[in-house]
Amino acid sequence: QVQLVESGGGLVQAGVSLRLSCAASGRTSRTYAMGWFRQAPGKEREFVATISWSGGITYYADSVKGRFTISRDNAKNTVYLQMNSLKPEDTAVYYCAAKEVWRQYVATNENEYDYWGQGTQVTVSS
């Protein structure tokens, strides 16, 4: 089992930056691809970004490409989501997810992920 805890959310104005963190504990000796997803009120959860085990492969949703950056520090068992130029439409609960892998792999489908965090709220005011 892997436990994921997100942090770093908050209420901010449009245009500013936030960095979310996702700390993993438990069976961190395994290798995991990591992803960030978000769910806005009244909407389905959607893919935001994903990163391979080594960090060498990343992939983003079109809506955040060029503004968000996913990264990871495996020594700290932590994944980050740097969010710049935030917009009101970025308002959502952001979830971190882990998928056990045996090769370099990224996943955009939430159904592929094995573990999920509880989420952190990001609210962007106009």
Side-chain angles (χ1 to χ4, degrees), residues 34-37 46-51 58-61 64 68-70 81 107-108 113:
M34 301 296 293
W36 284 98
F37 291 77
E46 65 175 2
F47 165 75
V48 175
T50 180
I51 188 167
T58 58
Y59 190 78
Y60 299 91
V64 306
F68 290 12
T69 302
I70 188 171
L81 185 68
T108 62
Y113 285 86

Side-chain angles (χ1 to χ4, degrees), residues 27-82:
R27 302 182 77 175
T28 55
S29 60
R30 302 288 181 92
T31 54
Y32 298 92
M34 301 296 293
W36 284 98
F37 291 77
R38 67 186 181 185
Q39 187 168 21
K43 296 187 177 181
E44 294 186 349
R45 188 159 55 188
E46 65 175 2
F47 165 75
V48 175
T50 180
I51 188 167
S52 63
W53 162 245
S54 69
I57 304 172
T58 58
Y59 190 78
Y60 299 91
D62 287 343
S63 59
V64 306
K65 200 173 296 182
R67 299 188 298 122
F68 290 12
T69 302
I70 188 171
S71 62
R72 65 191 299 164
D73 184 338
N74 288 340
K76 296 182 178 180
N77 295 319
T78 302
V79 177
Y80 305 98
L81 185 68
Q82 178 67 41

